[in-house]
Amino acid sequence: MSTDQNPDLQNLSVPNPSGFSPVTPAQITSYVQRLHRVKSHPVIEKMEKLAEENRFPIVGRAAGEFLHLMALSIGAKQIFEFGSGFGYSAYWFSLAVGENGKVICTEGDAKNVERAGAFLAEAGLTERVEYHCAWAQEHFKQTFQDFDLIYNDADKDAYPEIWQLARTRLRPGGLYIADNALWSGRVTLPSEEVHESKGFEGWTAAIRDHNRLIAEDSGFEFFINPIRDGLIVARKIG
């Protein structure tokens, strides 16, 4: 049966818990996510329900599958996450790294760390993930290895700083991926037309600087996947 004929696929909703406006047309995102929900795990369903109920920003199903595929494509075994929430992206990465891989997660909210532990244990992925209740940049500085993939979904005003930290710690051929690279399209607006909520001042400018730094870096090739809110992927040349 095709997905167009399957009522279970047609009726699946597309949660938008963070309240931003995705740059991808809603019907496109819905179609892509319905395809990816053919294969599902109860833990992912629970995570998505929690995000929707609490308006917590997760990358969502289509972007999660993309992260998983990117990690698989380079045979990633060592991954570092800047900003891990309650483990949604870590779930996708831990599937990719396999039994001998490790995903190092950082999250400042102890409650989210606790939730992540429960979700990942239920999925049988605990041994692949190392969770730290810590400031991501500071914990990253305490690690000394190079990584196959570094994922950034921290506070957006820190994006330029995180890029500068991450770019030197990727192995040749490694990937840097950051969420919200298009920031609901605000990155395209003149500065005087950008209106930001209290507590988010300067985030649009920071994301623009971050994207520009990547584009100008001769040591990397990059592409922005416009799914959802934009995932920028930079590959270290060498």
Side-chain angles (χ1 to χ4, degrees):
M1 181 183 291
S2 71
T3 55
D4 290 337
Q5 297 171 319
N6 189 334
D8 292 332
L9 291 176
Q10 292 175 342
N11 295 330
L12 286 169
S13 63
V14 181
N16 180 21
S18 60
F20 69 88
S21 300
V23 294
T24 310
Q27 65 270 30
I28 299 298
T29 300
S30 178
Y31 172 73
V32 173
Q33 295 202 159
R34 288 200 308 267
L35 288 177
H36 284 298
R37 291 180 77 148
V38 172
K39 296 181 294 186
S40 190
H41 191 288
V43 168
I44 280 296
E45 302 286 349
K46 291 178 182 179
M47 286 181 169
E48 290 171 348
K49 182 179 180 182
L50 178 64
E52 188 169 20
E53 290 174 346
N54 292 275
R55 296 184 63 78
F56 188 88
I58 59 173
V59 295
R61 186 69 61 96
E65 290 276 11
F66 178 75
L67 296 177
H68 175 238
L69 186 60
M70 289 296 96
L72 279 177
S73 71
I74 63 167
K77 294 297 180 185
Q78 297 294 322
I79 295 176
F80 189 96
E81 287 194 355
F82 285 86
S84 297
F86 54 72
Y88 190 83
S89 54
Y91 169 88
W92 296 107
F93 284 134
S94 61
L95 289 180
V97 299
E99 293 181 359
N100 297 320
K102 186 69 68 176
V103 183
I104 300 177
C105 298
T106 54
E107 169 58 34
D109 188 330
K111 183 63 176 178
N112 282 334
V113 175
E114 180 183 343
R115 287 168 171 162
F119 282 134
L120 295 168
E122 184 177 348
L125 298 169
T126 301
E127 298 302 317
R128 305 181 187 188
V129 182
E130 182 181 308
Y131 242 89
H132 298 270
C133 188
W135 187 251
Q137 293 92 305
E138 290 306 313
H139 187 77
F140 185 75
K141 293 174 185 177
Q142 296 171 24
T143 65
F144 301 100
Q145 69 199 82
D146 285 348
F147 293 94
D148 301 308
L149 191 153
I150 295 174
Y151 177 62
N152 178 14
D153 197 8
D155 288 347
K156 312 313 164 190
D157 55 348
Y159 268 32
E161 174 194 3
I162 289 172
W163 163 249
Q164 297 292 6
L165 288 172
R167 63 179 299 280
T168 64
R169 299 280 303 282
L170 283 165
R171 55 111 165 144
L175 298 180
Y176 169 87
I177 305 177
D179 189 24
N180 305 113
L182 298 177
W183 202 224
S184 297
R186 296 185 190 93
V187 292
T188 69
L189 299 175
S191 297
E192 62 272 16
E193 295 183 19
V194 174
H195 302 288
E196 297 175 312
S197 303
K198 185 178 180 180
F200 298 90
E201 296 89 351
W203 282 29
T204 302
I207 293 172
R208 276 201 293 247
D209 287 345
H210 165 264
N211 296 346
R212 175 184 54 79
L213 288 169
I214 294 174
E216 294 176 350
D217 197 316
S218 61
F220 285 80
E221 302 168 308
F222 84 99
F223 179 75
I224 297 179
N225 179 347
I227 192 69
R228 185 180 168 273
D229 199 31
L231 287 160
I232 191 166
V233 182
R235 175 185 176 273
K236 189 169 186 177
I237 299 171

